[in-house]
């Protein structure tokens, strides 16, 4: 049985929860991070690791750029590689879509240019010759999500931020002066509360009586066996349905937001053959020599979104001293930065960029 008072209890030990905890500790607060599994083993530990400005929403571009720089600063400890990235179009309709989307992102500050199919073939000879248009962003790259938990764990330890693994919060009581959180026999007292529960955010908000239109998604990622060098850059598709990168060890990681099955309450979800197959076919279409490599594993993870696909980052509507952070699409990229903004907000400072009021979503069902 634990009963201690903290300045803030953070429920969820992913990038969002850990990143905010570090910012708060730096600002002089005493947070505790409470994680139902192990730190960094939710979406933050199983994602495809793509850091691509080309697949972020236009309004999130400044956040994504700052996120890229944050990952770059973490460097080797998180397997960061700035490789540049190409987004491909295979027909005129996709080319029009590519131009329309990338122009807007360019206007929003992403250093995106267009390259001709011949230029592309010279730079990435293993890509399909059926590309009719392509865009390029030198900022794009990837980090290794399986190192994120380890990294944040070390950072928490160095900042002397306590955390508890295997601690699933099942009830939260608002007392007027703070919160009482319960996980089995364990009880935690805190003056403030941050819910950073990823795919489980809807349930967590309901514990404090806040009902938001949060939906869980089950994203799929696959990895091949090691092979000869095929591509050096991060590769995407105009529709957003493909991300592909080859790691230094020769394995190729393939994603694109294809949906598996299951719910966050079920565990990690299940891979659906009906979506893995078209994902791999698209990858093979983009890099024909991929057909020589076997896929050794596919897996899923949960993330959440709201109907307008913008983050929830701000005060919990109607609950004093409670805050919500989640539903950040491309949250691996943006996480280290938006969690810093969140920490500033909780510390009573003006965040460098605006946050995203969760209360706006009440009318979005
Ligand atoms: C398969 C997949 C691929 C992706 N690929 C990319 C990509 O390539 N690039 C990119 O930028 N983004 C990607 N994303 C999105 C990105 O991973 C997420 O947006 C980001 O990791 C979310 O971080 P988080 O901290 O909000 O959530 P999480 O990392 O899921 O952390 C939330 C934590 O809360 C814990 N929790 C929940 N409820 C409770 C409770 N009641 N008590 C205690 N703990 C609780 C969970 O166990 C979990 O660890 C991908 C996501 C998935 C699932």
């Amino acid at each position: 049985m634990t009963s201690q008072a903290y300045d803030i209890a953070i429920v969820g030990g992913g990038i969002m929860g850990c990143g905010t905890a570090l910012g708060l500790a730096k600002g002089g607060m005493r947070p505790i991070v409470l994680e139902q599994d192990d730190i960094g083993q939710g979406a933050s530990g199983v994602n495809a690791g793509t850091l691509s400005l080309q697949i972020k929403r236009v309004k999130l571009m400044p956040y994504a750029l700052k996120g890229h720089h944050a990952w770059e600063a973490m460097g080797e400890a998180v397997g960061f590689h700035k490789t540049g990235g190409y987004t491909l179009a295979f027909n005129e309709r996709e080319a029009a879509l590519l131009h329309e989307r990338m122009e807007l992102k360019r206007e929003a500050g992403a250093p995106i240019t267009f390259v001709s199919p011949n230029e592309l073939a010279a730079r990435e000879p293993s890509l399909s010759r059926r590309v009719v248009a392509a865009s390029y962003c030198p900022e794009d790259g990837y980090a290794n999500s399986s190192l994120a938990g380890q990294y944040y764990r070390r950072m928490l330890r160095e900042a002397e931020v306590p955390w508890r693994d295997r601690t699933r919060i099942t009830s939260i009581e608002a007392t007027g002066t703070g919160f009482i959180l319960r996980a089995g026999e364990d009880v935690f007292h805190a003056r403030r509360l941050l819910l950073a529960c990823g795919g489980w955010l809807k349930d967590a908000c309901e514990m404090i009586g806040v009902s938001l239109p949060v939906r869980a998604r089950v994203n799929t990622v696959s990895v091949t066996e090691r092979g000869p060098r095929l591509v050096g850059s991060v590769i995407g598709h105009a529709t957003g349905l493909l991300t592909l990168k080859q790691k230094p060890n020769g394995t190729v990681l393939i994603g694109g937001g294809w949906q598996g099955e299951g719910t966050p309450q079920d565990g990690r979800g299940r891979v659906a053959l009906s979506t893995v197959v078209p994902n791999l076919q698209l990858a093979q279409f983009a890099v024909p020599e991929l057909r020589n490599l076997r896929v050794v594993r596919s897996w899923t993870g949960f993330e959440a979104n709201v109907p307008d696909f913008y983050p929830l980052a701000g005060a919990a509507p109607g609950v004093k001293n409670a805050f919500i952070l989640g539903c950040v699409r491309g949250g691996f990229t943006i996480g280290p930065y938006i969690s810093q903004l969140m920490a500033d907000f909780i510390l009573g400072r003006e965040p460098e960029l605006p946050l995203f009021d969760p209360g706006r979503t009440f009318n979005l069902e």
Side-chain angles (χ1 to χ4, degrees), residues 140-284:
D140 288 354
Y142 62 88
N144 185 343
S145 64
S146 59
L147 295 177
Q150 212 173 304
Y151 176 84
Y152 275 103
R153 198 178 277 267
R154 201 177 75 234
M155 290 297 115
L156 291 176
R157 197 176 298 122
E158 283 176 12
E160 297 182 7
V161 173
W163 76 87
R164 287 281 300 268
D165 292 322
R166 310 277 156 185
T167 302
R168 180 165 168 257
I169 300 302
T170 51
S171 83
I172 303 174
E173 188 187 328
T175 61
T177 54
F179 298 89
I180 302 174
L181 297 89
R182 291 193 168 78
E185 296 279 286
D186 290 337
V187 182
F188 301 89
H189 294 258
R191 279 194 281 284
R192 300 172 193 80
L193 173 73
L194 171 66
L195 300 177
C197 300
W200 296 259
L201 192 57
K202 185 169 182 60
D203 295 349
C205 290
E206 276 167 9
M207 283 191 233
I208 55 168
V210 175
S211 181
L212 297 177
V214 174
R215 307 169 298 204
R217 283 172 60 83
V218 197
N219 289 351
T220 311
V221 181
S222 301
V223 67
T224 69
E225 63 183 334
R226 293 169 188 221
R229 176 100 341 239
L230 295 175
V231 285
S233 334
V234 167
I235 305 299
H237 182 239
T239 58
L241 289 170
L242 176 68
T243 66
L244 184 156
K245 64 197 74 77
Q246 189 166 26
K247 297 291 186 77
N249 67 1
T251 60
V252 180
L253 206 61
I254 300 163
W258 292 78
Q259 293 297 285
E261 293 164 354
T263 67
Q265 292 73 24
D266 291 342
R268 284 237 165 106
R270 293 175 300 281
V271 169
L273 209 56
S274 59
T275 57
V276 170
V277 170
N279 187 189
L280 299 179
Q281 281 171 334
L282 182 55
Q284 230 176 62

Side-chain angles (χ1 to χ4, degrees), residues 53 56-71 108 310-311 313 328 330 333-339 341 351-356:
L53 293 171
K56 300 296 172 298
R57 304 200 81 199
V58 173
K59 196 169 152 187
L60 295 180
M61 210 50 62
Y63 302 79
L65 259 170
K66 298 270 189 177
H68 275 230
H69 297 152
W71 283 108
Y310 285 110
V328 185
T333 309
I334 296 173
Y337 180 65
I338 201 166
S339 57
L341 298 181
E352 186 183 39
L353 288 174
L355 286 173
F356 297 83

Side-chain angles (χ1 to χ4, degrees), residues 11-17 34-38 40-51 55-56 167-170 196-200 204 207 217 219-221 243 245 299-303 325-334:
V11 187
I15 290 181
M16 304 298 170
L34 303 167
E35 167 56 48
Q36 67 183 359
D37 191 345
D38 286 318
Q41 298 306 304
S44 302
V46 300
N47 65 70
T50 313
L51 307 171
I55 52 176
K56 300 296 172 298
T167 302
R168 180 165 168 257
I169 300 302
T170 51
C197 300
W200 296 259
M207 283 191 233
R217 283 172 60 83
N219 289 351
T220 311
V221 181
T243 66
K245 64 197 74 77
W299 64 92
T300 58
F302 292 106
E303 66 171 345
L325 178 57
C327 296
V328 185
R329 276 184 106 199
F332 187 67
T333 309
I334 296 173

Side-chain angles (χ1 to χ4, degrees), residues 47 64 88 90 113 115 149 159 226 236 297 314:
N47 65 70
L88 316 178
F90 296 116
T113 52
V115 292
R226 293 169 188 221
R297 194 161 79 89

